[in-house]
């Protein structure tokens, strides 16, 4: 069964993108099939994977989310899945920030990414989602799509306080989402 992991922390600069990329690489070196999904409008994971002209990419996770919100079919996988060594990547660019705004009024707004990852995950052992430093709709989508969460933290007092808040929010979301699913 595919494991879908979200790398989350509402603080920036704690190592989310680094963890997503390096964990993905380590798993792929062990022969696992890995898909990375960049869900940060800053596109740091996409850029770290060598696609630094990401603003010119035609199809990104933003495109897939827009199509899913409109109940339209996704394009063929070779139109948007990029290769990073032996891993695959669904890239991202700044267009995702506009999607975050339109998600607010979308039907089943928490479940858009889950619908996309549900279609993709059958081909992989691991799907790793790199989140943005916020607890907005994009991160909520990542939490709804995953069956495991990784929270990189820096060993500092305020960072630990932030972790308490994040865990509380994850529990709240879990209860809320379970109600949504029912
Ligand atoms: N384990 C680590 N040890 C030292 N520096 C790290 C480690 N993980 C990440 N970094 C550095 O910290 C900075 C922020 O990491 P990044 O993965 O971009 O964080 P985030 O995605 O949470 O914003 C980067 O410069 C990165 O190279
Ligand atoms: Mg990052």
């Amino acid at each position: 069964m595919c494991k879908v992991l979200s790398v989350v922390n509402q603080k920036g600069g704690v190592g989310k993108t680094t963890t997503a990329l390096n964990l993905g690489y380590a798993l792929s070196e062990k022969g696992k099939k890995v898909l990375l999904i960049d869900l940060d409008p800053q596109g740091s994971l996409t850029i770290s994977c060598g696609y630094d002209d990401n603003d010119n990419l035609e199809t990104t996770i933003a495109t897939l989310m827009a199509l899913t919100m409109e109940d339209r079919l996704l394009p063929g996988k070779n139109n948007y899945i990029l290769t990073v060594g032996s891993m695959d990547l669904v890239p991202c660019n700044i267009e995702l920030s506009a999607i975050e705004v339109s998600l607010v009024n979308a039907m089943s707004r928490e479940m858009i990414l889950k619908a996309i990852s549900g279609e993709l995950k059958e081909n992989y052992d691991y799907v790793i989602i790199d989140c943005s430093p916020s607890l907005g709709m994009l991160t909520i989508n990542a939490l709804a799509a995953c069956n495991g969460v990784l929270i990189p933290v820096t060993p500092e007092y305020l960072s630990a306080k932030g972790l308490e808040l994040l865990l509380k929010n994850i529990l709240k979301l879990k209860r809320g989402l379970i109600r949504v699913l029912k």
Side-chain angles (χ1 to χ4, degrees):
M1 198 187 116
C2 177
K3 197 136 187 79
V4 183
L5 300 171
S6 288
V7 190
V8 197
N9 191 328
Q10 73 270 40
K11 266 177 89 76
V14 293
K16 290 183 290 300
T17 302
T18 312
T19 302
L21 181 55
N22 287 286
L23 177 64
Y25 179 76
L27 289 166
S28 73
E29 282 288 286
K30 284 191 170 288
K32 304 292 182 192
K33 291 204 73 187
V34 176
L35 173 69
L36 303 172
I37 300 181
D38 189 354
L39 201 68
D40 182 348
Q42 294 179 88
S44 311
L45 180 62
T46 305
I47 296 167
S48 302
C49 288
Y51 296 95
D52 48 3
D53 62 344
N54 60 335
D55 284 337
N56 294 323
L57 290 170
E58 212 166 282
T59 311
T60 64
I61 189 68
T63 328
L64 305 185
M65 291 183 84
L67 290 170
T68 306
M69 275 193 275
E70 293 166 13
D71 265 334
R72 288 167 58 196
L73 287 178
L74 301 186
K77 291 181 180 113
N78 48 6
N79 288 298
Y80 58 86
I81 289 187
L82 304 177
T83 312
V84 189
S86 54
M87 295 184 283
D88 285 347
L89 166 73
V90 181
C92 182
N93 61 26
I94 194 67
E95 283 174 27
L96 188 64
S97 53
I99 296 296
E100 177 147 39
V101 177
S102 49
L103 269 173
V104 173
N105 293 317
M107 288 273 284
S108 309
R109 58 190 182 168
E110 296 91 352
M111 300 298 163
I112 304 294
L113 185 65
K114 191 179 171 77
I116 297 167
S117 61
E119 270 191 42
L120 293 175
K121 70 184 186 185
E122 67 197 36
N123 300 318
Y124 297 95
D125 299 308
Y126 288 89
V127 174
I128 303 176
I129 305 168
D130 182 33
C131 292
S132 63
S134 87
L135 259 178
M137 279 313 299
L138 289 173
T139 302
I140 290 172
N141 265 265
L143 291 171
C146 71
N147 46 29
V149 177
L150 290 171
I151 309 173
V153 278
T154 47
E156 294 156 4
Y157 178 73
L158 289 176
S159 192
K161 292 303 279 181
L163 180 62
E164 273 175 28
L165 178 67
L166 175 58
L167 290 174
K168 262 188 208 156
N169 279 325
I170 290 175
L171 284 176
K172 261 194 225 164
L173 282 173
K174 223 173 135 187
R175 286 198 294 268
L177 287 172
I178 287 165
R179 276 201 292 277
V180 170
L181 287 169
K182 278 178 187 166

